[in-house]
């Protein structure tokens, strides 16, 4: 299990529900869930991008690489850290 360090406090139900939904998608470890996670990588909330990247890492499928590599340029350090962790889970050399 990955502990997500939130760059800002999460205190609204909508964000908490989205975090739960994204984490649940990764439990099956099925690459078909990547399509559900991709939109979250562009969310305005950094914590959602962070959780989506970590979820892709837990799935561990190489099809997530292009999306994750793009997110290495995210302006939020915590998001980039989650991306590096996810790349390491997939086994990418950039991790």
């Amino acid at each position: 299990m990955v502990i997500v360090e939130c760059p800002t406090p999460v205190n609204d139900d909508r964000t908490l529900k989205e975090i739960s939904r994204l984490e649940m998608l990764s439990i099956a470890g099925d690459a078909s869930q990547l399509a559900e996670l991709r939109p979250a990588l562009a969310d305005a909330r950094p914590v959602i991008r962070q959780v989506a990247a970590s979820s892709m890492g837990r799935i561990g499928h190489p099809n997530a690489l292009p999306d994750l590599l793009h997110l290495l340029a995210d302006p939020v350090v915590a998001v980039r850290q989650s991306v590096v962790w996810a790349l390491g889970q997939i086994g990418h050399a950039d991790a």
Side-chain angles (χ1 to χ4, degrees):
M1 174 155 186
V2 174
I3 297 173
V4 176
E5 178 186 328
C6 299
T8 56
V10 177
N11 55 8
D12 67 281
D13 286 341
R14 186 178 73 103
T15 300
L16 291 171
K17 286 178 184 176
E18 182 65 2
I19 289 169
S20 294
R21 185 184 77 82
L22 296 172
E23 289 178 342
M24 292 299 292
L25 288 171
S26 70
I27 289 175
D30 185 353
S32 68
Q33 302 302 326
L34 295 174
E36 287 286 322
L37 291 166
R38 282 188 181 104
L41 296 174
D43 195 281
R45 298 165 290 179
V47 68
I48 297 299
R49 297 192 305 274
Q50 187 179 8
V51 171
S54 296
S55 294
M56 284 186 164
R58 281 191 294 280
I59 290 171
H61 197 279
N63 285 351
L65 289 174
D67 299 302
L68 291 170
L69 291 171
H70 177 74
L71 205 58
L72 279 173
D74 195 277
V76 178
V77 172
V79 174
R80 293 193 308 266
Q81 290 171 332
S82 290
V83 170
V84 170
W85 178 86
L87 291 171
Q89 295 301 112
I90 295 170
H92 194 273
D94 285 348

